[in-house]
């Protein structure tokens, strides 16, 4: 790190990534105040020394920075502006870090007149969050970024300022677009292999060890090989949301992205089939045709 984190930090939202970030800060000796809509998720962090708050405004009381790591724009708006929200009674005096993946323009709209806001796209999984190995891409005023740098460098091995507010979300959507397409391509290849009589396990092992495999494909190949999609690294419904956001961003600037559009449609269909809370690799189950029934 180039500096130290000054004062307690609030973590709002204790899903896969938020819980990892809070654990990392506690391990580094940073006082942490946490809040989660479902209070049952706060217990492990409370045992590790975190203060559990009753609502977001209570969580940020006396803190120098607040990390918002909730699932979507609606949840982020509620955390910031809802009853007992962070900004419900006026500006937050610390640095407000929006690490929830939302539409880039939505960050500006939700943040409103808050003076010190960054949007941060996080690249990595829960292990990276817990171990301080994330790659973090931030948008916002450079002075705010410089003030938050010690905190961000506690959480990530690479910290990059991209430009104006919304830039972090734009980078995050690009990265998730690539991951969504790659994982679906791997799932499609695997289903085709099985349908053609090839050994699925051998095919996945071959792909994972080949020059075609990105680290993500090698990682997700283990999910596909096991057929287990519980305890998700990244929920399928969140991937569907991000692919839709990327497609909408493309339409806004007049681009046609056929692969992104197709992947978004597949992930939305998989979510509608009840796979939304499983790992995004469960998209493979949306590729298998359902057996026909007699009428």
């Amino acid at each position: 790190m180039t500096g130290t984190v000054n004062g307690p930090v609030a973590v709002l939202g204790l899903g896969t990534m938020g819980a990892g970030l809070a654990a990392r800060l506690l391990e580094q000796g940073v006082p942490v105040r946490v809040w989660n809509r479902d209070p049952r998720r706060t217990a492990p962090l409370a045992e590790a020394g975190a203060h559990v708050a009753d609502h977001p405004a209570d969580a940020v009381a006396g803190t120098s920075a607040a990390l918002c790591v909730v699932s979507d724009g609606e949840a982020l708006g509620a955390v910031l502006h809802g009853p007992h929200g962070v900004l419900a009674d006026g500006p937050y005096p610390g640095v407000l870090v929006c690490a929830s993946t939302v539409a880039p323009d939505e960050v500006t709209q939700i943040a409103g007149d808050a003076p010190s806001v960054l949007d941060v796209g996080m690249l990595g999984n829960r292990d990276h969050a817990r171990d301080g190995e994330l790659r973090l891409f931030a948008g916002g005023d450079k002075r705010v970024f410089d003030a938050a740098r010690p905190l961000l460098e506690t959480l990530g091995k690479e910290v990059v300022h991209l430009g104006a507010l919304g830039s972090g979300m734009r980078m995050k959507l690009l990265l998730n677009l690539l991951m969504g397409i790659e994982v679906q391509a791997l799932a499609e290849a695997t289903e085709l292999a099985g349908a053609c009589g090839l050994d699925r396990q051998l095919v996945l092992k071959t792909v994972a060890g080949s020059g075609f495999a990105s680290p993500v494909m090698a990682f997700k190949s283990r999910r596909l090989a096991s057929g287990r999609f519980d305890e998700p690294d990244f929920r399928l419904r969140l991937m569907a949301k991000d692919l839709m956001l990327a497609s909408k961003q493309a339409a806004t600037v007049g681009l046609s992205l056929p692969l992104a559009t197709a992947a978004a449609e597949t992930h939305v269909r998989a979510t509608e089939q009840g796979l939304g809370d499983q790992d995004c690799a469960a998209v493979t189950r949306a590729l298998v045709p359902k057996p026909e029934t007699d009428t």
Side-chain angles (χ1 to χ4, degrees):
M1 289 192 303
T2 58
T4 58
V5 181
N6 296 318
V9 174
V11 180
L12 309 172
L14 301 175
T16 299
M17 300 301 288
L21 295 174
R24 169 66 178 174
L25 291 170
L26 288 168
E27 289 172 359
Q28 295 299 303
V30 178
V32 175
R33 298 172 66 86
V34 298
W35 171 85
N36 192 67
R37 183 170 53 184
D38 182 351
R40 290 174 295 183
R41 290 191 175 183
T42 63
L45 292 165
E47 292 176 3
H51 171 83
V52 177
D54 293 328
H55 48 71
D58 178 28
V60 302
T63 60
S64 60
L67 303 170
C68 297
V69 200
V70 292
S71 58
D72 53 31
E74 182 179 359
L76 181 60
V79 165
L80 297 184
H81 298 289
H84 304 294
V86 174
L87 304 175
D89 296 324
Y92 171 61
V95 177
L96 183 59
V97 177
C98 296
S100 308
T101 305
V102 301
D105 294 339
E106 202 168 6
V107 176
T108 304
Q109 295 169 0
I110 293 173
D113 297 327
S116 300
V117 182
L118 295 175
D119 68 305
V120 175
M122 299 187 292
L123 180 60
N125 57 37
R126 62 179 139 195
D127 293 334
H128 296 132
R130 189 173 54 244
D131 298 337
E133 292 291 314
L134 294 169
R135 297 172 65 196
L136 304 175
F137 301 93
D141 187 279
K142 183 63 162 57
R143 291 172 296 178
V144 178
F145 172 77
D146 289 340
R149 183 187 284 274
L151 169 62
L152 298 178
E153 290 186 343
T154 300
L155 302 173
K157 65 179 181 181
E158 180 182 5
V159 177
V160 180
H161 181 245
L162 296 176
L165 193 65
S167 299
M169 287 302 98
R170 289 185 174 92
M171 177 64 86
K172 178 63 174 176
L173 290 178
L174 295 179
L175 295 168
N176 279 2
L177 181 155
L178 288 170
M179 181 168 77
I181 290 174
E182 285 185 9
V183 174
Q184 181 169 329
L186 178 62
E188 289 186 14
T190 305
E191 291 300 331
L192 178 59
C196 293
L198 295 176
D199 185 300
R200 290 168 56 96
Q201 303 294 326
L202 178 58
V203 167
L204 285 166
K205 181 179 178 181
T206 301
V207 171
S210 74
F212 298 111
S214 66
V216 165
M217 289 176 70
F219 180 67
K220 291 301 182 182
S221 68
R222 296 195 289 273
R223 284 274 191 185
L224 292 170
S226 70
R228 292 195 56 183
F229 307 111
D230 56 345
E231 298 183 4
D233 303 300
F234 188 61
R235 295 180 189 276
L236 191 148
R237 61 180 171 82
L238 298 182
M239 180 61 79
K241 175 204 65 160
D242 292 353
L243 288 168
M244 290 297 293
L245 287 174
S247 296
K248 289 178 181 177
Q249 282 288 295
T252 299
V253 296
L255 285 178
S256 173
L257 302 181
L259 289 176
T261 300
E265 291 173 352
T266 306
H267 283 74
V268 168
R269 184 169 68 251
T271 301
E272 292 171 347
Q273 293 174 3
L275 302 171
D277 284 321
Q278 297 188 32
D279 187 81
C280 63
V283 70
T284 191
R285 292 180 172 168
L287 306 176
V288 179
K290 293 183 178 180
E292 294 184 2
T293 57
D294 296 330
T295 58

